[in-house]
Amino acid sequence: MLFSGCGYSNVASESFESMDTFMKIDIYGSADTAAEIRAEIENLDSLLSAQDDSSEIGRLNKIGSAELSEDTADLLSQALELCKDTDGALDISVYPLVEAWGFIDKNYRIPGESEIDDLLKNTDYRKITLSGGRAYLGSGMKLDLGAVAKGYAADKAVELMKQNNVRAGILNLGGTVAAVGEKPNGEKWRVGICDPENTAAYFGSVSVSGKVVATSGSYERYFEQDGKRYCHIIDPKTGCPTDNGTVSVTVISDSGTKSDALSTALFVMGIDGAKEYWRSHTDFEFILLDEENTLWLTEGAEAAFRMNKDYEYNMKVIKA
Ligand code: ADP
Ligand code: MG
């Protein structure tokens, strides 16, 4: 009786642009819940956008300290933990560097060495303090939660689904995908992973339920100069776009914030660092594609993965 079709008969969808990307949510629930989720994501965007001077993060960046709402403080505290845990591969203070390379105003340029060195002096998440709901930045610093915002939004959306007794759905927040429950036929959801050379296609997919799958790739935002590609993921140690042979990293975990943060951080670490990090933190799985077309998969990721036909990546499984 309890499960007699309830919940699965209603499908509600929302497609919209937020956080600088396209989002589509499909839930087995009411249109009201779908609208509530969309409103929540749009609200988070208005709080977190570093590019918007009137957002909480925008004001913090301008003034150097600010009172934060509960959500912003919650995300900032989770993000700082992840910065520490990844030994600064994730560093939410890279914004001045992201700006200097032109990724914000799209006036792409290669900054000089001394300019980069100067900016690196103010790049250090350890100089961000969060205390009693108030955040403080070191001088010259700017925060950017862009690497984790979509993941956090996914977590909030999943929470709203639970509160509204929606037991299944798929939320695609621009490459960060939350797969909740199962498809009506009882199968897991299949989440596609973008082909970096043709982002309209997928090279494969993972079969998941109750997970958030996040991908960071050098193909998402980049510029080319003198035949060299410069991507939007900055290595906080060098102040330059990450250039370690990694093309894309997909992370699968229970938490959107974690999946999103780690997809960026493992990209910066490269395959050797990523392997090592995974072996000491087995609460997630990852898939890394490198420039040689080798596809590295952790054991759990391999079990969930299916390569699409026409793709001939050389698969290598990483054991614990
Ligand atoms: P996308 O937003 O394209 O899905 P990511 O989740 O990987 O990709 O986040 C990349 C964004 O995070 C960049 O656009 C930049 O604003 C910021 N960023 C770049 N490098 C880092 C880094 N090492 N740590 C934290 N944030 C970063
Ligand atoms: Mg990310």
Side-chain angles (χ1 to χ4, degrees):
M1 265 310 279
L2 244 148
F3 298 107
S4 59
C6 64
Y8 274 135
S9 48
N10 277 356
V11 181
S13 301
E14 288 274 354
S15 298
F16 55 104
E17 243 189 286
S18 186
M19 301 186 168
D20 239 352
T21 185
F22 289 102
M23 301 193 170
K24 183 164 194 289
I25 59 185
D26 296 285
I27 61 168
Y28 289 95
S30 71
D32 281 354
T33 305
E36 198 184 332
I37 292 171
R38 174 182 175 162
E40 171 74 17
I41 295 170
E42 288 173 340
N43 177 50
L44 285 171
D45 187 24
S46 73
L47 293 174
L48 303 175
S49 170
Q51 293 177 52
D52 174 359
D53 280 351
S54 63
S55 76
E56 285 190 2
I57 297 300
R59 266 189 290 133
L60 174 63
N61 287 345
K62 228 165 142 184
I63 307 168
S65 92
E67 196 71 40
L68 303 180
S69 60
E70 213 174 295
D71 281 339
T72 309
D74 178 26
L75 173 56
L76 178 55
S77 109
Q78 288 189 51
L80 287 172
E81 269 309 305
L82 286 154
C83 290
K84 188 170 156 201
D85 207 53
T86 59
D87 197 21
L90 180 80
D91 192 321
I92 54 174
S93 69
V94 294
Y95 196 69
L97 286 157
V98 176
E99 274 182 324
W101 285 86
F103 287 105
I104 304 303
D105 61 9
K106 306 212 161 60
N107 263 323
Y108 301 117
R109 58 189 278 274
I110 300 174
E113 243 173 80
S114 64
E115 183 181 352
I116 292 177
D117 286 345
D118 278 347
L119 294 174
L120 275 173
K121 287 181 197 138
N122 300 329
T123 305
D124 186 348
Y125 67 92
R126 288 167 298 191
K127 295 182 188 159
I128 303 166
T129 332
L130 178 65
S131 155
R134 222 183 151 78
Y136 304 85
L137 303 182
S139 77
M141 291 182 83
K142 282 185 183 175
L143 261 193
D144 173 14
L145 295 171
V148 288
K150 286 179 281 177
Y152 186 73
D155 289 338
K156 295 301 264 188
V158 171
E159 224 175 274
L160 278 175
M161 287 174 72
K162 289 210 178 97
Q163 278 168 24
N164 287 283
N165 297 314
V166 178
R167 60 180 177 182
I170 190 102
L171 316 171
N172 187 345
L173 313 186
T176 296
V177 181
V180 181
E182 273 124 29
K183 291 197 269 186
N185 65 6
E187 284 175 15
K188 292 182 175 180
W189 297 102
R190 286 211 149 267
V191 178
I193 308 175
C194 257
D195 173 355
E197 279 162 33
N198 170 18
T199 52
Y202 300 111
F203 68 73
S205 59
V206 284
S207 211
V208 288
S209 169
K211 302 281 178 195
V212 181
V213 182
T215 300
S216 286
S218 55
Y219 56 88
E220 285 178 74
R221 238 175 308 152
Y222 63 90
F223 67 95
E224 268 163 345
Q225 197 162 311
D226 301 327
K228 199 170 149 54
R229 181 181 284 208
Y230 298 90
C231 77
H232 72 306
I233 299 173
I234 304 288
D235 181 340
K237 295 222 155 60
T238 63
C240 298
T242 304
D243 181 21
N244 60 19
T246 306
V247 174
S248 89
V249 179
T250 300
V251 171
I252 309 162
S253 86
D254 293 346
S255 150
T257 306
K258 176 176 286 176
S259 292
D260 204 359
L262 292 185
S263 67
T264 307
L266 301 190
F267 191 98
V268 171
M269 291 176 195
I271 184 59
D272 292 338
K275 270 191 211 168
E276 198 180 313
Y277 184 85
W278 177 72
R279 288 192 173 123
S280 54
H281 302 75
T282 42
D283 57 348
F284 72 94
E285 304 292 338
F286 78 82
I287 298 174
L288 184 151
L289 178 64
D290 72 19
E291 278 167 2
E292 252 84 72
N293 279 350
T294 299
L295 192 66
W296 300 85
L297 305 100
T298 57
E299 286 173 298
E302 198 239 349
F305 180 74
R306 192 166 74 197
M307 186 118 68
N308 289 343
K309 64 173 173 37
D310 307 333
Y311 289 90
E312 288 174 350
Y313 298 149
N314 171 25
M315 285 174 50
K316 287 202 177 151
V317 178
I318 305 164
K319 302 225 180 323

